Structures are given as structure tokens and as C-alpha cells.
Amino acid sequence: MRPGSATTAGEEKRMAEDGKEESAATGDSDQPAAGLDSTVTTMVEEGSTLLRRMEISVAEAEKRSGKNSVNMQETFTVYLIETRPMDAIAEGRNPAPDSLWRRYSEFELLRNYLLVTYPFIVVPPLPEKRAEFVWHKLSADNMDPDFVERRRVGLENFLLRVASHPILSNDKILYHFLTEEHGWKEVVYDTGFQAKADSRLRALSATFRVRNPDKRFVDMKHYSDELQSHTSQLLRARARVADRLYGVYKVHGNYGRVFSEWSAIEKEMGDGLQSAGHHMDAYAASIDDILEEEEHYADQLKEYLFYAEALRAVCRKHELTQFELEMATQDLVSKKQQREELATGIVRTFSFKGMTNKLFGQEAPEQREARLKLLEELIAEGEESVKEKTAECEEHVEGGWVDMQRFKEQKDKDLREALINYAIMQISMCKKGIQVWSNAKECFLKM
Amino acid sequence: MSSPTVPADFSGHMLDLDEDEDLEVFTKKTSMTDGSPMPNSPSSMVNQYGLDEEEEEQGTSTKDIFITVDNPESQVTAIETFIMYRVVTKTTRSEFDSSEYEVRRRYQDFVWLRGRLEESQPTLIVHPLPEKFVMKGMVERFNEDFIETRRKALHRFLNKISEHPILSSSEHFKVFLTAQELTPHRKQGPSFLSRMGETVRAVANSVRGLRSRPEEFVIMQEYVEDFSNKISSMDKVTQRIIKEQKEYLDELGQYSPTYTQWAGAEEELAEPLKGMAGCVELCNKETEELISHLADVLVPALHEYVLCAETLKTVMKRRDNIQADFESKSEALAAKKVDQEALKEEVDALADRVELANNALKGDWSRWQNSMRTDLKSAFVATAEKNVEYYEKCLAVWERFLLSQRTEPSEEQAGEDAS
């Protein structure tokens, strides 16, 4: 196993071969849930996804210095992406991986491109840009090695999720991201996605009233808000609990110090006190690893906190397309009405032309003909537009609904797994506590 | 300051307990009691020392007196309000006329008893009483917890006295346990003026300084200083642990509802999320129990010995004074030319007094050390056991949850349909 890698080749292979969605809770998977090794809970779908053909990992992280866009010196972290062809591994050959370095900002660029290009897909989120929900010990410093390590794992998780998605995994830009170190950025910008990205952002925050949104999307949007609110509350509460628990454990270190000093002045009690003191020190020190592991649980929850945003975006996109369809339909209706009025002379709707006709007399037949012709053209365009938008809307609804279902199942499985991981961590913590205090008791009995 | 087994970057988090001013809990220093002892008789006292070893391993089989302090009731008079405790004694000792007594006593009565015991045996280690007041937190005298803590300490006090080979045969002790009305007995005692005179002499002696303290008492003095520091630190650390545990408990209380609330928005996940909330709540309860143990068992035990340390210091000062008295008189004897006979008698008496005082303290010292070791050992063992129990119970909670989550989905369906 490569150092620093979050997954092994064997695990990748097994996951790639698992066409069925097995419940991770049956205990078949021997992924060490609570270890630093693997927090990957990516499900692999049926069908040929990129992940089946290629082994992907984010193997390392390194600090670099360089000049940025405004020619100022800056320090940043780069991540090593390694890929190997799956068939070579299956054949037993062990080729050296292809690799390239990418910064976090490049991952962001990739994701933004995906968001714009596949608006009906719940696009997997990136790990957080800055450390949030920290409890006191964790620094909020992006350069902190623990933070960088957890980010490495998160970035790998992102790539694995994208590469195993039935639709996203076929994207060419994704493939280039993984294989072409230089010139990738230019290729992305060439797609022209940036323009769409700006209008997307505007649309997402705009307020408009949709008449007939698909109820399922309305409900999902509501759910995404709930998911966001609940996960963030949970994360906040968990961080505070972690902070307090840290305090409890560390204070016991003082017992260690006092026992040690006290043992020096006692005869019969000395040995018992001294060794009990060592156990108290061990107890105080044990909390660091315990809480470090818990951070992985927090990361799993954070992923779904960020997923909630992606889910919401899909729902909003539906509202937007539905709204545009409604606008286009309405426009077409009003134009048809105008044509009818022009043709029959019966005014049903208010128009300035109608008013001026009444005030200044009807227009000449040639003018009327010209206007009718224009209207017919506009109506023809309008009908095309409605047809397009209806198709777009339907496509979005269909694709979006399928992906939201896929997301829901993935979410239920992943989060259940996360809760189980948490329980396992708690069990481990309790076992350590039992051991330390049993040892301490033995020492006290020797007093 | 950090111990070598703790990683360096966390040593900064180790508490500097000297900053915890708010944890000061001390009485006013007790004044020196009358320095002149009234031993029952030198020979009877010498005989008593031999009983120390047997007495130390006292089980209920050798115990011939059982005392309980309970039933606090407040009494209101025109002048004041105070608490009366019921003291019940059951005994087979021959010096008691009856085998059972029930009396009512207030805190002042206990103070009187202790004063008389110290006065009659100035260099014996008389178990301390709970404090008059607690400075921290402005605890009321009539607060339930305070009364209960005090009651337990008074109970322990009387039982410690009854276990002491010499003190338990004190006439004052008997009167305390048996007399319906204590006030007539309380009127007797050294006058205020004579106690004043004693204090003045004690101050004069300490200014003059001791010629030479015997080696064993020098060692004892050093030990008492160190022990006092250590036991105070233990008390403070424990109080701090309780504080941290309480804050942890508060946060746990906020944590479990976040799972319950989230469960409300989920379908498949609702059940495991509710399960999590349940687990956290159960751990919450266990934490409360652990805190109760620390507060009700460990803290009182440690605190008792904080007070003992002060008692020890006082006893050592008294012994020093007795020695100083003797030294000053014997210097006067060496200087004086007339009245040598009378003075010599006085000096001889003082020399005996010094020897008795030293022997009394020496004998009681090892008894006290053993008692301390037993008491603190038992408190620490109980605390370790309580912690093990805490973790065992929490472990069971999480294991049950894990088991419930690892059933097959089909089994789960059946379970849900059934419920």
C-alpha cells in the first residue's frame, strides 16, 4: 500500500466489481471504520463508470511557493493525483501510476464546470475550503498538517464519487483533469462554461414566482434546507462536546503530577500512587487520538452538509427552467391573442396600438398585414422556444429526479455507515477507559 | 512542570491550580488550647499505646460502639435559628449505664466536645470537624446539600473518635453521647483568661525559638508540610474535574436533541438517528452519576484530610510549645541562685510533660498514618471502580446500538412492522 493513500488497490477492485449495492452495515466490508486508513464510502453504480477502468487516488500533499496572479509570493498546497489502468492491475501487472499535481483551486474549477454542465445532477461537494466547526485544539489554519491530511482524503473522496457517477464519470474534462497536467485550465475555459456559470449564480439567488413547479422538487428543496440546518447544528454541538471532553481528560493529567509528587513523601503508599499517576497521565494523553478519529466522523457529516447545497441547486434549477417555460408559454399565448385580435378586429386585450387605433382611426390594411406577418413569425419562434423549453424542462425533471433518487439512497447508506462508525469509536473509547481505570484501581489496591 | 509521559505540546494545557482562588475552602485558624494536659494517668496512657496495632485493623467484630448522626431539624428560637442533629449510640461498653442512647446535638456542641478532647490530649491527633462556613459560592447555612455534607462529616467525626484507643474513653465523649442536656456540662472548662495567658506564652515561645527539635519531629514536620500541599492539590484537582464534567454534561444535553430533530426530517435514517439520540442521553445519565460519586464520596474524603493536615500542624505546634516551656524554665533554673528546690520540681514536672507529649504524638502518629492510608485508598479505589462502571455502562449502550444497526434490512422491516 502506498504511504498516505486512503485506499488500497484491492479495495478499489472489490468496489469496482460490486455491481450490486450491498448494505455496508452487514459487516461484509472489512474497511477499518474508525481508522485513518479509509473513510471512503463511495458506492459504485452499475454500468461502466470511469472508476471501473481506472484506479484513482490522491496520494500526497506538498507545500509549494510561487507567484500568484497579482505577482505576489504565496504558499499553497498541491495534491498528487495518481491513476492506473484497471485492466493492468487485474492482469496482475503492477504498473507505476501516472501522476500530476493539482491545487485546491483547480478542483474548484472542475466542480464549477460540472455544476454548470450538468445542472440536473447533484454534484459531489469538495471538502471545506477553510476549517469550520473547530473545537479549540484544532487550528483553523489551512497549513495545519492534520487539516491538509483530512483535505487530501476529502479530495480523493470527491474524485472517487465523480468517477463512479453514471453520468459525470463520462465527462471529457474530468478525464483531462486526471490525466493532463498542463493546459487543462485552458481546455476548461474553452468550453465557455464561465459565462453560464455567472448566469447560473445570478439565477440561483434571484427571486421569482413559479406557478407550477414539480411538487417532488419543491419537497426536495425543503428537505435540502432541513438537511443543511440539522447537519450544521449537529456539527456545532459535536464540536462543543469534543471541546469539553478534551478538558475533562486533560485535567486528569494533574492527578498524574500530584500523585507523582505525593508518592515521593510516602513509604507504604508510594509505589501505588506513583504507578496510578502514570495511568492518569496515559488517560489524559489518550483523548488526542480519540478526538482526531472523531474528526473523520465530522468530515462525513460535513460532506452531506455540503451535498445539501448541491441538492438545493438542482431544485432551484428546476424552478428556473419551469419559470422560463411558463414565461415563454405566457408570451406565446399573449402573442396568439394579439394575432386573433388583429385578424378579427375584436379587442380583448389592452394595447397601445388598439388605443391609438381608437383615437386616431384604424391603420391602413398594408400596415395591418405587415404586423400580422411579424406576429406570425414571432409566434413561430415562440412555439419553437416553448417546445425547446418544455423539452429542457422535462429532461431536467427526469434526469434530476433519477439523480436525486440515486443521491437519496447513497445518503441513507453513507450516513448510516457514519453513525455506525461513530458508535464503534465510542466503544473503542469506552474500552480504553475501562482499561486505564482498571489499571489505576490495581495500583490503588497496592497502596 | 509536565510529567514526562504527556506530549510536550499539551503541557501548556495543564492547569496552574494556584490560580484557582475561588476554590479556597478553609476555616479560620483555631486558636491554641490550654497547653497543660490532664492525663488520666501516665501508666494507663502507656498501656494504651500498645493497642494501636490491634485497633487499626478494627472490623465490625471488635467494634463495641455504634454511633449514627442523622435527622437534621431546624430549631427556631427568639435569638437564632440553627440545626439540631440526632445522635444515636448503641454500645456494650461497661462504662455506659445503658446500651442505647438518643440525644440531640447542634454543631456548637460538637465544637465543644472537640475542644475538650484537644485540651485533655493536646498532642493526640483529634479528627477535625467540618468547617463552620464555606466561602465559595455563598452557600447558605441551611442549604440542603450543605447540611447533608455536614451531617456526614459529623457522623464520621464521632466514629473516628470512638475508634481512637484513648479519646474514646474520654469522659467528655461519654457525656456528649449520653446527656440529654449538654449545656450544664458546657459551662465547665478553662476560663477565657487562662486561655489568653496560654496564648501569650505560646507566642513568646515561638519568638524565642526552639533550642532543638528532636530529629523525628523534624521529619514529621516536613512530612506534614508536604502532605498538606499534596492533599490540597488533590482536593483542587478533583473539584476542577467535577467542574469540567459538569460542563461536558451540559454540552451533551444540547447534543442529543440535534439527532432527534434531524430524525424528524428523515425516513430511512430516522431510526438510527433516534437510536443515536437515545445513546447520548443514556451516556448523559451515566455522567451525572459519576459526578455524584465524585462530589459525594471522593471530595469529602479528600477534604477531610485537608482539614486533618491543618490539625497535624496545630498538634506539632503544641508539642513545640510544651518543649519550649520546659526549655525556658530549665534555663531559668540554671540562672537562678535561690529557690532551687521548688523550681527544680517544676522543671522535672515539665520534663515529664514533654516526654508524655512526645510519646503521645509518636504513638498516635502511626495510627493516624495507617488510618489515612486506609481511608484514602478506599476512596481512590471506589473512584476507580466508579469510572470503570461508567465506561462499562456506556460501552453497553453503544454496543446495543451497533447490534441494532447490524441486523439485515429484512429483519429490520419485520422489527418495524412488529413495533
Side-chain angles (χ1 to χ4, degrees):
Chain A
M1 186 158 130
R2 288 187 299 273
S5 164
T7 56
T8 62
E11 282 169 3
E12 288 296 337
K13 190 160 178 227
R14 192 180 59 248
M15 274 161 53
E17 280 165 4
D18 279 354
K20 300 215 178 67
E21 296 160 346
E22 276 180 20
S23 166
T26 57
D28 270 347
S29 122
D30 61 359
Q31 291 176 7
L36 289 170
D37 280 10
S38 170
T39 58
V40 175
T41 51
T42 308
M43 265 170 31
V44 176
E45 305 287 330
E46 296 239 19
S48 76
T49 61
L50 185 59
L51 202 56
R52 294 191 114 215
R53 292 178 278 124
M54 177 192 265
E55 181 192 81
I56 304 169
S57 74
V58 176
E60 283 163 40
E62 255 181 39
K63 273 210 204 117
R64 293 279 165 82
S65 291
K67 292 257 165 93
N68 66 6
S69 49
V70 289
N71 217 32
M72 285 177 65
Q73 198 70 11
E74 61 168 2
T75 318
F76 52 89
T77 312
V78 287
Y79 300 88
L80 184 67
I81 300 175
E82 287 185 347
T83 52
R84 290 201 297 173
M86 228 20 162
D87 44 19
I89 297 163
E91 285 164 21
R93 288 185 277 138
N94 201 20
D98 294 319
S99 63
L100 45 79
W101 295 93
R102 293 260 185 243
R103 299 176 61 159
Y104 184 85
S105 56
E106 292 176 87
F107 281 83
E108 276 185 309
L109 185 58
L110 172 64
R111 185 165 189 269
N112 285 338
Y113 161 78
L114 291 173
L115 281 170
V116 164
T117 315
Y118 304 93
F120 55 93
I121 298 286
V122 182
V123 176
L126 286 171
E128 54 192 355
K129 211 176 161 94
R130 264 164 284 278
E132 278 178 55
F133 303 108
V134 291
W135 54 280
H136 90 284
K137 182 220 159 189
L138 273 187
S139 63
D141 172 23
N142 285 6
M143 291 296 161
D144 175 62
D146 286 333
F147 180 77
V148 168
E149 171 57 19
R150 294 206 335 275
R151 184 184 261 192
R152 184 194 64 75
V153 171
L155 290 174
E156 183 176 289
N157 193 44
F158 166 76
L159 288 180
L160 291 171
R161 287 212 191 273
V162 172
S164 63
H165 189 282
I167 293 172
L168 296 177
S169 62
N170 294 320
D171 189 276
K172 292 281 178 302
I173 298 290
L174 169 69
Y175 187 79
H176 284 166
F177 179 87
L178 294 169
T179 53
E180 307 282 332
E181 180 149 24
H182 304 289
W184 173 77
K185 271 198 191 163
E186 284 69 31
V187 176
V188 183
Y189 285 125
D190 277 350
T191 62
F193 89 97
Q194 196 64 49
K196 283 201 253 174
D198 297 333
S199 78
R200 172 184 177 271
L201 270 175
R202 261 181 281 120
L204 281 178
S205 48
T207 40
F208 46 81
R209 256 191 57 222
V210 198
R211 294 239 183 93
N212 282 322
D214 186 306
K215 186 176 188 303
R216 299 171 298 177
F217 282 73
V218 173
D219 290 343
M220 263 305 187
K221 189 173 95 164
H222 183 66
Y223 170 76
S224 76
D225 289 338
E226 299 249 328
L227 182 64
Q228 193 163 33
S229 144
H230 291 129
T231 46
S232 67
Q233 275 180 349
L234 202 159
L235 283 164
R236 205 169 302 125
R238 187 214 72 91
R240 285 208 284 262
V241 167
D243 188 35
R244 288 301 170 202
L245 191 62
Y246 183 81
V248 168
Y249 271 72
K250 286 302 175 189
V251 175
H252 281 81
N254 288 292
Y255 270 158
R257 180 174 56 86
V258 177
F259 278 153
S260 175
E261 291 168 9
W262 185 4
S263 71
I265 63 168
E266 296 288 345
K267 283 177 273 202
E268 282 176 75
M269 284 166 60
D271 288 340
L273 280 176
Q274 173 91 317
S275 39
H278 290 323
H279 293 302
M280 289 297 100
D281 286 335
Y283 181 70
S286 69
I287 191 65
D288 300 302
D289 285 345
I290 289 168
L291 289 178
E292 181 58 40
E293 266 182 42
E294 249 193 51
E295 280 310 308
H296 293 282
Y297 171 69
D299 284 343
Q300 285 176 295
L301 293 178
K302 272 182 212 172
E303 192 189 10
Y304 278 91
L305 170 65
F306 303 142
Y307 251 126
E309 261 182 68
L311 180 62
R312 186 173 202 279
V314 170
C315 298
R316 282 291 283 172
K317 178 69 181 175
H318 162 73
E319 286 177 356
L320 184 63
T321 47
Q322 176 69 11
F323 178 71
E324 284 174 357
L325 172 60
E326 283 171 8
M327 288 291 104
T329 311
Q330 196 159 334
D331 188 63
L332 183 62
V333 164
S334 99
K335 288 212 163 37
K336 282 186 176 169
Q337 266 179 343
Q338 278 178 43
R339 178 181 63 183
E340 199 186 314
E341 283 162 25
L342 260 184
T344 61
I346 300 168
V347 182
R348 254 191 277 273
T349 61
F350 175 80
S351 73
F352 278 115
K353 207 64 187 147
M355 281 303 294
T356 52
N357 280 346
K358 279 209 146 75
L359 291 170
F360 303 111
Q362 289 238 343
E363 54 190 346
E366 302 87 45
Q367 282 178 316
R368 231 186 69 190
E369 279 304 316
R371 279 211 302 133
L372 254 175
K373 198 152 165 242
L374 184 60
L375 259 178
E376 291 289 354
E377 278 170 27
L378 287 175
I379 286 169
E381 274 175 30
E383 278 177 339
E384 266 308 306
S385 173
V386 166
K387 234 166 85 183
E388 265 173 42
K389 289 204 175 348
T390 307
E392 192 188 336
C393 205
E394 272 171 18
E395 188 192 317
H396 187 273
V397 164
E398 221 182 281
W401 181 242
V402 166
D403 204 56
M404 292 199 303
Q405 292 300 99
R406 181 204 62 80
F407 167 74
K408 180 181 181 298
E409 280 181 44
Q410 174 197 299
K411 168 203 62 132
D412 285 342
K413 210 148 286 175
D414 287 351
L415 287 175
R416 195 141 170 277
E417 184 76 19
L419 296 178
I420 288 170
N421 284 353
Y422 186 77
I424 292 173
M425 281 183 229
Q426 297 306 303
I427 287 169
S428 161
M429 178 172 95
C430 288
K431 285 187 175 160
K432 282 187 199 165
I434 289 169
Q435 186 166 55
V436 162
W437 284 100
S438 300
N439 289 340
K441 178 182 162 182
E442 288 308 310
C443 298
F444 290 138
L445 285 170
K446 290 200 202 110
M447 265 168 67
Chain B
M1 267 295 260
S2 60
S3 126
T5 55
V6 174
D9 49 320
F10 304 130
S11 63
H13 192 77
M14 295 266 244
L15 304 162
D16 182 4
L17 292 172
D18 299 330
E19 289 169 355
D20 274 346
E21 306 277 42
D22 57 319
L23 291 181
E24 287 303 302
V25 177
F26 286 123
T27 52
K28 299 187 258 210
K29 298 270 190 271
T30 54
S31 58
M32 235 79 75
T33 57
D34 186 350
S36 39
M38 298 295 175
N40 298 336
S41 79
S43 52
S44 76
M45 277 176 71
V46 168
N47 285 341
Q48 295 274 19
Y49 296 145
L51 291 168
D52 287 353
E53 274 112 34
E54 289 158 23
E55 230 63 33
E56 158 211 343
E57 295 307 316
Q58 220 171 56
T60 41
S61 50
T62 54
K63 222 174 146 168
D64 56 3
I65 183 164
F66 296 85
I67 306 171
T68 51
V69 176
D70 59 13
N71 206 3
E73 271 175 11
S74 83
Q75 303 279 306
V76 186
T77 70
I79 319 163
E80 55 176 347
T81 312
F82 54 90
I83 306 280
M84 283 290 238
Y85 301 87
R86 185 176 74 152
V87 179
V88 175
T89 308
K90 296 196 174 107
T91 179
T92 55
R93 286 186 185 174
S94 52
E95 57 267 34
F96 287 83
D97 295 331
S98 166
S99 61
E100 204 171 312
Y101 293 90
E102 186 177 314
V103 295
R104 298 203 72 80
R105 298 283 180 251
R106 55 183 294 191
Y107 181 78
Q108 286 305 315
D109 298 334
F110 287 81
V111 173
W112 169 84
L113 170 63
R114 188 168 187 274
R116 306 301 280 137
L117 290 172
E118 279 196 308
E119 196 181 65
S120 62
Q121 305 285 356
T123 56
L124 287 186
I125 303 163
V126 180
H127 202 71
L129 282 171
E131 293 119 318
K132 243 170 133 47
F133 8 74
V134 177
M135 308 293 190
K136 110 179 139 136
M138 305 302 284
V139 175
E140 277 178 42
R141 278 193 303 140
F142 304 107
N143 171 282
E144 259 181 47
D145 286 337
F146 176 74
I147 292 170
E148 176 60 15
T149 310
R150 181 178 264 198
R151 182 199 67 74
K152 280 196 234 173
L154 293 175
H155 175 101
R156 254 184 93 68
F157 168 76
L158 288 180
N159 279 282
K160 282 284 183 182
I161 303 298
S162 78
E163 285 161 17
H164 194 290
I166 299 165
L167 296 174
S168 73
S169 38
S170 150
E171 189 59 32
H172 302 299
F173 186 50
K174 180 159 163 244
V175 161
F176 180 91
L177 293 175
T178 61
Q180 284 303 310
E181 276 300 317
L182 201 57
T183 1
H185 301 271
R186 282 181 59 175
K187 297 268 191 295
Q188 302 164 11
S191 70
F192 176 70
L193 281 173
S194 78
R195 272 187 282 153
M196 267 294 283
E198 207 36 60
T199 314
V200 169
R201 262 185 33 220
V203 171
N205 286 337
S206 61
V207 168
R208 214 176 129 274
L210 220 51
R211 222 185 291 146
S212 68
R213 196 185 280 140
E215 181 64 24
E216 59 201 319
F217 296 116
V218 170
I219 294 170
M220 207 185 278
Q221 178 78 21
E222 275 171 22
Y223 173 85
V224 168
E225 286 297 326
D226 289 336
F227 176 80
S228 177
N229 286 335
K230 297 312 149 209
I231 199 71
S232 294
S233 292
M234 283 298 297
D235 188 26
K236 277 194 204 160
V237 172
T238 311
Q239 306 262 17
R240 185 59 187 261
I241 286 176
I242 290 175
K243 177 164 171 264
E244 296 286 335
Q245 289 278 24
K246 280 186 175 161
E247 286 174 348
Y248 171 62
L249 191 70
D250 280 342
E251 294 302 341
L252 272 186
Q254 312 273 358
Y255 184 42
S256 68
T258 60
Y259 285 103
T260 312
Q261 281 159 18
W262 187 3
E266 294 287 341
E267 296 158 5
E268 288 287 317
L269 281 178
E271 179 256 328
L273 284 171
K274 275 190 251 186
M276 290 284 288
C279 289
V280 174
E281 271 167 38
L282 287 172
C283 290
N284 198 314
K285 283 203 180 68
E286 295 303 329
T287 308
E288 261 178 341
E289 269 203 45
L290 181 61
I291 294 173
S292 289
H293 167 92
L294 291 173
D296 296 340
V297 175
L298 185 57
V299 165
L302 291 171
H303 201 61
E304 200 178 301
Y305 279 93
V306 168
L307 297 176
C308 274
E310 293 306 304
T311 304
L312 288 172
K313 288 180 189 168
T314 309
V315 166
M316 300 221 69
K317 279 210 194 82
R318 276 197 220 121
R319 190 219 67 87
D320 284 351
N321 281 331
I322 291 171
Q323 183 175 331
D325 271 356
F326 163 72
E327 283 172 1
S328 70
K329 273 282 149 51
S330 95
E331 272 173 26
L333 176 65
K336 264 203 160 127
K337 302 289 193 275
V338 296
D339 257 345
Q340 292 240 344
E341 278 299 318
L343 201 54
K344 185 142 199 323
E345 248 186 70
E346 202 184 334
V347 169
D348 284 344
L350 285 175
D352 281 342
R353 189 168 153 236
V354 171
E355 195 180 320
L356 281 168
N358 287 351
N359 289 337
L361 179 53
K362 263 195 291 201
D364 218 24
W365 177 244
S366 62
R367 187 198 62 83
W368 179 86
Q369 277 201 304
N370 280 320
S371 180
M372 181 270 287
R373 187 167 59 87
T374 311
D375 288 346
L376 291 181
K377 171 173 161 176
S378 127
F380 290 152
V381 167
T383 301
E385 278 173 352
K386 192 69 191 172
N387 272 282
V388 169
E389 192 187 307
Y390 165 77
Y391 280 112
E392 279 176 345
K393 289 206 182 134
C394 289
L395 178 69
V397 164
W398 289 107
E399 278 185 336
R400 261 202 312 275
F401 172 76
L402 202 63
L403 206 63
S404 78
Q405 295 307 309
R406 280 197 162 148
T407 53
E408 289 299 319
S410 53
E411 281 175 31
E412 252 178 35
Q413 277 300 96
E416 274 166 1
D417 294 338
S419 60

